[in-house]
Amino acid sequence: MHLNLLFAAWRGPVGRTSIAAVVFLTALAALATACSRAEPPPAEPEATPFSSPSAAAAKKPELPNIVLISVDTLRRDHMSVYGYERETTPELAKLAGDGARFDTAYAHTATTGPSHATMLTARLPIGHGIDRNGVALRKDVRTLPEILKAEGYQTAAFISSYVLLGKFGYERGFEEYDIELDQDPGDRELTGCAEGKLERCADQTVDAVAGWLEKDRDPNRPLFLFIHLFDPHSGYFAPAAFREKFAGGAEGTAEADGEHGERDEAREKKREQRREKRQAKREALAKQQAQAPQPGASVPTDEKPKRKRTTAERLAKLKKGGLARMKSMPEQYDAEIAFADHELGRLLRVFDENGLRSDTIVMMTADHGEALGAHGVLTHGYVLFEEVLRVPLLVRYPEKIEPGIVIEEPVGLFDVMPTLLDLAGLENDPRDAEAPPLGGRSLAGALLGRDALDAERPIYLQRRHYATEKVLGRRVKGDAFGVRVGRWKYVESEGDGTRELYDLEADPLEEKNLIEEMPERADEMAKQLATWRAAHAEKGAVAPPRQEVSEGDREKLRALGYVD
């Protein structure tokens, strides 16, 4: 009912309103006002973690962009940002200076696939099901990109190794999963890129990110990027400028540093040449396949291609070569780190150019480290020593995280997912990850200065599963589990028949096993570990029967240096 109609009905013959009409209309207006206050229009429902992307994005325009960067095989104590004497990571030092640095961050396992699954699910292998490379993620485990996509995020991943192939479950939740590994490596003296189709080097991956941001980014949706670089992984072959800088243990010279600009220009020319060649290469592929000998056909002896040595074979030769070659490993490894750092600097500048800074969370970490001869081990995977488990963890969130803060308490990669969700203001559904101690916890409170972390918090560890008896001469069979609590670290393996106890404060290099001297402490930590494993069984979180790796995948993994 409109008040102006009532008003006209009460008007007198001379166009004036009577006193009674005024009283009536005043009372009616007051009643209408009271009704409008008592019955407000229904509020628009809030988006839930399982809303459609378009709806959630429209209702949560304040969501920050999120970038998660993982550098494969990056050992914390070989990074200058963590005090290493060689300047291997100047670009990451800038990132840490703009945000926070965790000094005691752990990978829970020293194998690429299982560790990345932990980052993306907040569970250890015992919970997410990937206990080694080449097997698939459990279908009932939700991932970080799945959650963010449901909240309206545009999700994209850029991957640099066959190990994280999408078919193993890592692509779930990503709208774009870029893992183009068949690129021409070009001049290896300039690019440092490995041969074959199992990995791509850092500059190619950064190029792919930059191209996608320019062409495919949706500016109306928050963005989640996952970027994986593989370069520090063995075998080591960085671009010449970086190899020269670290050769012979040198710190680098002004001349070598000054060459980076010229090298960058040369690399850019090579990138352009690769882009021009790529289409021609693909067009020629069908012809090459047609000309290939049919199965069972004989190949003339003089036409048989020379087989390239796999990474595993190169590692075996390196071990056979003795101490002299082993001594050069850290130099080659440092050169790879410096190259990856150089490309990460370029990546961060790409973010700035695309407006991904002030409202963007950037988290950088690694899946595991590298032994480099410590404890008689060259690489990683089959031990749980500090050199393969301690990883970097850097977080930048401008105007939210105070620049330059350092957090010393122990944390783990299973904290990555809950921390990013919490910083973004999103609540993690309890179905998406196990609560502590089975899963990770948010570190946002510590990053934002609200809470202190627990220095005695248990950090659980799990070695990948081995079906063999020995790996490179070392007895390795089945699983191994461990836990760090404060200064103490305990590791046991039924298959290996070993138990180890270390005092990390007095013996940071883990050179003295205290299992005989301190059996009571070891037994106490063994009970804690058994309780944790039993809790997974009670929750039904233990993976289904162990998956087998296909022979095709096994051969490719062996070529990357993974043995079973």
Side-chain angles (χ1 to χ4, degrees), residues 455-491:
E456 299 293 316
R457 177 196 183 193
I459 299 294
Y460 293 95
L461 313 169
Q462 180 179 354
R463 187 188 70 195
R464 57 148 292 185
H465 177 80
Y466 282 91
T468 57
E469 293 288 343
K470 288 186 177 182
V471 175
L472 297 177
R474 188 185 186 98
R475 176 176 172 79
V476 175
K477 184 173 177 61
D479 302 295
F481 293 90
V483 59
R484 172 192 165 143
V485 181
R487 65 189 290 174
W488 301 101
K489 179 178 174 183
Y490 172 78
V491 178

Side-chain angles (χ1 to χ4, degrees), residues 50-201:
F50 306 101
S51 302
S52 66
S54 58
K59 295 181 178 70
K60 290 182 177 283
E62 74 283 359
L63 289 174
N65 302 304
I66 300 174
V67 177
L68 175 59
I69 302 169
S70 173
V71 180
D72 212 290
T73 322
L74 182 54
R75 180 170 161 170
R76 169 196 172 278
D77 62 358
H78 273 249
M79 300 172 64
S80 52
V81 65
Y82 280 94
Y84 187 50
E85 61 271 17
R86 297 175 183 169
E87 192 177 28
T88 52
T89 54
E91 298 295 339
L92 289 177
K94 296 175 186 176
L95 180 67
D98 290 338
R101 185 186 79 205
F102 287 87
D103 263 4
T104 316
Y106 275 86
H108 304 274
T109 185
T111 303
T112 297
S115 196
H116 281 97
T118 293
M119 290 185 211
L120 298 176
T121 67
R123 303 184 187 199
L124 268 67
I126 195 174
H128 59 59
I130 298 183
D131 62 353
R132 52 185 163 161
N133 293 328
V135 299
L137 182 68
R138 286 175 52 185
K139 293 182 179 180
D140 63 324
V141 177
R142 281 173 59 86
T143 66
L144 176 62
E146 288 180 299
I147 297 168
L148 292 176
K149 182 180 177 182
E151 287 286 352
Y153 276 80
Q154 183 181 19
T155 57
F158 297 85
I159 307 301
S160 301
S161 172
Y162 180 89
V163 179
L164 299 185
L165 207 64
K167 72 176 184 179
F168 300 129
Y170 304 106
E171 68 179 359
R172 281 176 17 200
F174 286 109
E175 299 166 14
E176 173 75 18
Y177 199 78
D178 186 304
I179 188 169
E180 187 175 351
L181 304 178
D182 62 348
Q183 301 182 45
D184 182 355
D187 186 346
R188 297 186 73 203
E189 287 297 305
L190 295 172
T191 67
C193 200
E195 298 176 2
K197 300 181 180 181
L198 303 179
E199 60 181 289
R200 65 175 168 186
C201 59

Side-chain angles (χ1 to χ4, degrees), residues 188-355:
R188 297 186 73 203
E189 287 297 305
L190 295 172
T191 67
C193 200
E195 298 176 2
K197 300 181 180 181
L198 303 179
E199 60 181 289
R200 65 175 168 186
C201 59
D203 61 333
Q204 294 176 333
T205 303
V206 173
D207 286 345
V209 176
W212 185 87
L213 286 173
E214 181 180 353
K215 296 179 181 178
D216 298 311
R217 183 193 173 195
D218 183 352
N220 297 315
R221 296 170 64 190
L223 177 64
F224 172 55
L225 286 178
F226 173 49
I227 299 164
H228 168 250
L229 303 185
F230 197 65
D231 297 80
H233 194 284
S234 60
Y236 316 120
F237 196 84
F242 297 91
R243 296 200 310 274
E244 293 164 4
K245 180 175 181 178
F246 293 96
E251 294 302 314
T253 63
E255 291 78 14
D257 292 337
E259 289 177 358
H260 286 174
E262 297 177 6
R263 297 281 183 176
D264 287 345
E265 293 180 6
R267 279 198 293 273
E268 183 56 41
K269 290 180 181 179
K270 288 296 180 181
R271 292 187 194 113
E272 184 61 31
Q273 292 172 5
R274 288 199 300 268
R275 285 189 285 266
E276 293 173 354
K277 290 179 180 178
R278 201 167 296 154
Q279 185 60 35
K281 179 181 177 181
R282 288 169 179 164
E283 292 174 355
L285 182 59
K287 183 178 179 180
Q288 293 172 359
Q289 291 175 338
Q291 295 175 345
Q294 297 299 315
S298 61
V299 179
T301 303
D302 58 352
E303 295 182 9
K304 287 183 179 179
K306 293 182 179 180
R307 188 177 67 85
K308 296 174 181 176
R309 285 183 297 143
T310 66
T311 299
E313 290 170 332
R314 290 197 297 270
L315 288 173
K317 184 177 180 180
L318 177 63
K319 185 177 180 181
K320 186 177 180 180
L323 187 60
R325 287 194 178 96
M326 287 183 64
K327 286 183 176 179
S328 70
M329 286 184 68
E331 299 161 11
Q332 300 172 39
Y333 179 67
D334 290 347
E336 288 274 33
I337 294 174
F339 173 53
D341 177 80
H342 179 271
E343 290 303 313
L344 286 175
R346 187 163 69 93
L347 178 67
L348 293 172
R349 289 189 289 275
V350 167
F351 292 159
D352 291 347
E353 293 165 2
N354 285 271

